[in-house]
Amino acid sequence: MTTFNRSALFPGLAAVLIPIAIGMVFFYSPLEKTMGSVQKIFYFHLPLALTAFLSFFVACISGIMYLRNRQRIWDARLAASVEIGVVLTTLVLITGSLWGKPIWNTFWTWDPRLTTSLILWFIFASCLILRSAIDEEGKRATFSAVMAIVGFVDVPIVFLSARLFRSIHPTVIRADSVGLETSMLVTLLVCMAAMLVFWVGLYKFRVSLFLQEAMINDLQTDGTKS
Amino acid sequence: MKDTYLVLAYMAIWIGLSGYVVALAQRQRKLSAKIEVLHKRLRVKED
């Protein structure tokens, strides 16, 4: 009898959903009238941004929980989510620039949405640098917890920047409606589901890797002491 | 011309994400090697 491997659930689901999502982007969703084919970047640009926000939200919650409980698991969750969040934000900035060039005729402009996103990237990238610079586990976890909590303040600013300030960045999800045709919306939702499942798989893998590394380090330190 | 940016963006996304997963897999492999060394050391100690 074959046993069901629970750890393979999310990576397996992602392996199914991602090709479906890419297929829908290129073969199901219609071509946008003004922007043409380049608009198809949007179907992964937005899910990447939303999963990056989710990462930083998890990092913030983990930071709060670490400061309350001082348990290693919360530091592992924080480290994993910050690292994944930085990778995703990097991809958001790259895809945004590649979308901006043919549409705005520039790779970069100091628009509020773009600027606040770059600041977000800098905050959490510096959190990663800070983590690699401190050897003492308790200090490293405390400092990065504080940084993740403070850094999360920028997430709602990024989200609201295109709504509150004069911005050239489009806002698709509005308070009263979603500015997309049904087939485009369905494609976007499938892409979001695929990215979310991928994120969960990646997050679980990174947390377990972090904990294993910490345990091995403990064993090595104990070994050298005795 | 617009298609070039679309291709570049999708390449960036999937090379970026798969590169990150590969980097994590490498770390996992290094960790397995460390566990093997520790296990060997423990067996020598026990003997």
Side-chain angles (χ1 to χ4, degrees), chain A:
Chain A
M1 202 180 95
T2 52
T3 52
F4 178 67
N5 186 359
R6 280 181 66 190
S7 63
L9 175 70
F10 287 101
L13 254 176
V16 174
L17 275 173
I18 289 171
I20 293 174
I22 296 173
M24 285 182 78
V25 168
F26 290 102
F27 304 112
Y28 174 70
S29 71
L31 211 60
E32 208 264 350
K33 266 184 187 169
T34 338
M35 288 184 267
S37 61
V38 81
Q39 182 269 344
K40 287 181 188 285
I41 294 173
F42 161 78
Y43 296 108
F44 277 95
H45 177 75
L46 181 66
L48 281 169
L50 291 180
T51 42
F53 290 167
L54 173 69
S55 305
F56 298 136
F57 175 70
V58 172
C60 175
I61 298 295
S62 305
I64 295 168
M65 292 309 288
Y66 178 81
L67 293 178
R68 281 183 64 179
N69 303 329
R70 304 275 165 185
Q71 285 171 338
R72 182 183 271 170
I73 181 71
W74 290 111
D75 184 44
R77 286 171 181 158
L78 182 143
S81 47
V82 169
E83 197 178 281
I84 296 170
V86 169
V87 171
L88 295 174
T89 312
T90 308
L91 294 174
V92 171
L93 292 170
I94 293 171
T95 53
S97 287
L98 288 167
W99 189 6
K101 180 62 184 167
I103 303 303
W104 298 334
N105 205 26
T106 177
F107 282 111
W108 185 264
T109 172
W110 294 101
D111 174 84
R113 171 63 65 84
L114 276 67
T115 309
T116 49
S117 300
L118 185 67
I119 292 168
L120 187 71
W121 184 87
F122 272 118
I123 292 170
F124 285 95
S126 52
C127 184
L128 285 182
I129 295 166
L130 180 90
R131 286 189 69 84
S132 65
I134 304 171
D135 287 328
E136 200 192 312
E137 194 187 347
K139 231 184 209 179
R140 180 178 59 218
T142 308
F143 286 173
S144 46
V146 172
M147 206 162 175
I149 297 163
V150 176
F152 183 72
V153 173
D154 193 36
V155 172
I157 297 173
V158 175
F159 186 76
L160 294 170
S161 60
R163 292 161 180 82
L164 297 179
F165 309 109
R166 190 192 292 252
S167 172
I168 55 168
H169 193 284
T171 47
V172 174
I173 303 164
R174 294 176 213 114
D176 54 339
S177 66
V178 178
L180 284 174
E181 196 204 306
T182 317
S183 55
M184 286 177 160
L185 184 64
V186 171
T187 310
L188 176 67
L189 290 174
V190 172
C191 290
M192 268 186 189
M195 274 311 296
L196 198 65
V197 168
F198 180 74
W199 183 89
V200 175
L202 200 60
Y203 171 75
K204 288 179 106 175
F205 179 39
R206 189 66 190 94
V207 171
S208 76
L209 190 61
F210 180 93
L211 288 173
Q212 285 171 30
E213 279 175 343
M215 278 190 273
I216 295 292
N217 281 339
D218 286 352
L219 278 174
Q220 280 180 324
T221 338
D222 290 348
T224 48
K225 272 179 192 168
S226 63

